[in-house]
Amino acid sequence: MSNLKTPKFDTVKVGFETSDDSAVVELSNGKKIIQTVDFFTPIVDDPYDFGQIAASNSLSDIYAMGGRPLFALNIVGFPINELPKSILTNILQGGIDKAKEADIPIVGGHSVDDKEPKYGLVVTGEINGDKIWKNSEAKDGDVILLTKPLGTGIIASGIKKGLVPDKEIKIASNSMKTLNKHAADILENLNPSAVTDISGFGLLGHLKEVCENSQLTANIDYSKIQFLPSAKSLAKSGIIPGGTKRNFSYIKDSVSFHSELNQVNKYLISDAQTSGGLLISINEKEALEFTDNFHGECQIIGYMEPKKEKLIKVV
Ligand code: CO
Ligand code: CO
């Protein structure tokens, strides 16, 4: 988007230049509102699960910046003459129930007739005080926390090919449905220096943005990274989505990989995620406080160090 001409507005506190998760705009009374939008095609077969996942994914960008969601609007594409309306009802109910868990109403939306179903939310929230968690302020010596296991892109491809057992679909689906609210609630009482959520660009893509914008190198311990069940075996058998391959080619020149890591390992940590966890750069003491309070699979996966030739080192 760098070739677009965008006029400057003093009210825009976070715009789209920095590839942060949401936009932040200041109101005339000094309060800051935060807004984001995301929608996509089904990644699981169950419409109710898909609705919950899409809503959780849309809300994530608000939590990733320290915002508190206030309300949302639906964005819907649906082949109204080809699929039973009950499918759409279930998708929307999934969204409503997830929004309820986030303690916000869905107050409207817009739908179009579309060959392939699509669903997501526009979410508006507010920022309390001056605390905006950007992706550009990580500090040398911080540790790096990741709050969900990786592998949803690979698993979604496996599901389309009928290769994932029901039990493992359920685990992946539950992970994607999980709001990043709990993680954000704990972080609110701490002082993270940079936060983002893992989505389409994968762990390495989002980490590269943090490193680039913070002028640091991340040192990542591959053995600390957790994966959803079946992600590794699917990747080994060649199930690598196009987006994950593109992510890898995009980041590969910025990363030095340990010589024992093979191409499957490299794809696994480049995997494009849907409704992924938070990636947090924070001092070690507070990171331990976070892991003590967090219910879920959360790991310290590495640390920040002064900028080296490569922005990311995976050992
Ligand atoms: Co994001
Ligand atoms: Co997004």
Side-chain angles (χ1 to χ4, degrees):
M1 303 280 182
S2 54
N3 48 359
L4 290 175
K5 290 187 192 110
T6 51
K8 287 261 172 287
F9 285 86
D10 290 341
T11 49
V12 178
K13 298 303 159 192
V14 180
F16 75 140
E17 302 80 16
T18 52
S19 23
D20 270 296
D21 298 295
S22 305
V24 178
V25 173
E26 194 169 76
L27 303 176
S28 54
N29 64 4
K31 278 210 152 218
K32 294 184 189 75
I33 56 168
I34 176 167
Q35 197 169 52
T36 185
V37 57
D38 212 341
F39 62 102
F40 47 77
T41 56
I43 48 159
V44 292
D45 294 329
D46 184 289
Y48 181 68
D49 281 349
F50 170 56
Q52 290 188 72
I53 292 168
S56 178
N57 178 75
S58 297
L59 280 153
S60 181
D61 280 331
I62 300 284
Y63 294 127
M65 290 193 74
R68 192 171 70 85
L70 293 171
F71 62 91
L73 299 170
N74 284 324
I75 296 181
V76 183
F78 196 76
I80 201 74
N81 297 317
E82 278 132 71
L83 287 178
K85 205 165 167 237
S86 61
I87 294 183
L88 179 57
T89 308
N90 284 327
I91 294 173
L92 297 180
Q93 192 62 53
I96 290 168
D97 290 353
K98 194 45 74 175
K100 184 179 168 214
E101 194 184 317
D103 209 16
I104 63 161
I106 295 179
V107 290
H110 185 72
S111 59
V112 292
D113 191 8
D114 195 346
K115 272 200 294 269
E116 213 177 352
K118 294 178 186 75
Y119 178 59
L121 299 176
V122 178
V123 189
T124 303
E126 67 180 335
I127 301 264
N128 294 319
D130 280 329
K131 253 188 182 178
I132 303 174
W133 303 335
K134 297 187 190 167
N135 63 17
S136 55
E137 287 161 14
K139 292 193 183 75
D140 178 20
D142 275 355
V143 299
I144 302 161
L145 279 165
L146 179 61
T147 68
K148 283 187 189 179
L150 301 178
T152 66
I154 290 165
I155 291 170
S157 288
I159 291 173
K160 291 204 169 96
K161 295 187 163 70
L163 297 171
V164 188
D166 283 351
K167 200 179 121 218
E168 296 180 357
I169 294 177
K170 202 168 178 116
I171 296 172
S173 189
N174 282 341
S175 174
M176 291 186 278
K177 278 192 239 173
T178 302
L179 289 173
N180 284 325
K181 179 180 193 300
H182 171 50
D185 284 347
I186 301 172
L187 276 184
E188 204 168 299
N189 299 312
L190 304 172
N191 296 288
S193 32
V195 184
T196 189
D197 60 341
I198 309 288
S199 50
F201 297 133
L203 169 65
L204 293 183
H206 291 281
L207 187 58
K208 179 179 177 251
E209 282 171 349
V210 174
C211 292
E212 214 161 39
N213 295 340
S214 308
Q215 293 293 306
L216 294 170
T217 283
N219 191 307
I220 299 297
D221 182 348
Y222 184 86
S223 69
K224 295 279 160 58
I225 298 171
Q226 292 173 310
F227 298 96
L228 289 162
S230 81
K232 283 183 186 171
S233 56
L234 286 167
K236 232 180 263 169
S237 68
I239 307 296
I240 311 290
T244 298
K245 286 185 181 161
R246 277 194 297 280
N247 284 346
F248 175 71
S249 19
Y250 170 73
I251 53 89
K252 66 178 197 303
D253 294 335
S254 311
V255 185
S256 79
F257 290 99
H258 191 276
S259 59
E260 275 166 28
L261 294 170
N262 61 31
Q263 188 58 46
V264 171
N265 299 139
K266 293 175 192 176
Y267 281 145
L268 274 162
I269 54 172
S270 307
D271 189 35
Q273 301 299 284
T274 297
S275 194
L278 295 186
L279 180 69
I280 305 158
S281 183
I282 190 168
N283 70 72
E284 189 170 13
K285 186 178 158 278
E286 291 195 334
L288 296 173
E289 245 179 277
F290 181 91
T291 51
D292 278 350
N293 288 296
F294 186 73
H295 319 294
E297 287 175 74
C298 166
Q299 280 288 334
I300 293 176
I301 61 165
Y303 57 90
M304 289 293 180
E305 58 183 21
K307 196 176 165 199
K308 306 269 160 41
E309 196 198 323
K310 302 279 184 183
L311 285 169
I312 302 173
K313 187 175 171 186
V314 187
V315 298

